[in-house]
Amino acid sequence: AIYVFGILWQTHSTQLSFLIDGQPSGNFTYTQDPKNGSYVYDHCLWANDSIGPGLHTFALLNGQPGGMKSLILFDYIIYSHEQ
């Protein structure tokens, strides 16, 4: 399993893509709220608990070509594996 956490700054939008072994595995989109300048801490941006055993690669892509401006305030990743 893998869990990706970040901080949302509510005055900025976020658009993320997640890949496992080079293949799309999910997205996260947050649209800004210009009236609220606060932060949201420990926000789970993406989770996947169906990854099989073995060696894998993980990638987080910020934004989309030609898309909106995107801010990522990466906080931490939690992952688990079998021995």
Side-chain angles (χ1 to χ4, degrees), residues 58-79:
F58 167 76
L60 183 158
L61 305 176
N62 185 27
Q64 299 283 332
M68 66 182 180
K69 289 184 178 182
S70 180
L71 175 70
I72 174 68
L73 298 175
F74 171 76
D75 200 7
Y76 60 96
I77 291 178
I78 296 173
Y79 70 94

Side-chain angles (χ1 to χ4, degrees), residues 19-66:
L19 291 87
I20 297 291
D21 300 328
Q23 299 300 312
S25 186
N27 299 297
F28 176 83
T29 301
Y30 174 79
T31 304
Q32 71 185 22
D33 179 3
K35 296 177 185 176
N36 186 349
S38 64
Y39 294 88
V40 177
Y41 296 94
D42 294 316
H43 188 84
C44 185
L45 303 173
W46 178 76
N48 185 326
D49 59 1
S50 63
I51 300 170
L55 183 63
H56 298 282
T57 59
F58 167 76
L60 183 158
L61 305 176
N62 185 27
Q64 299 283 332

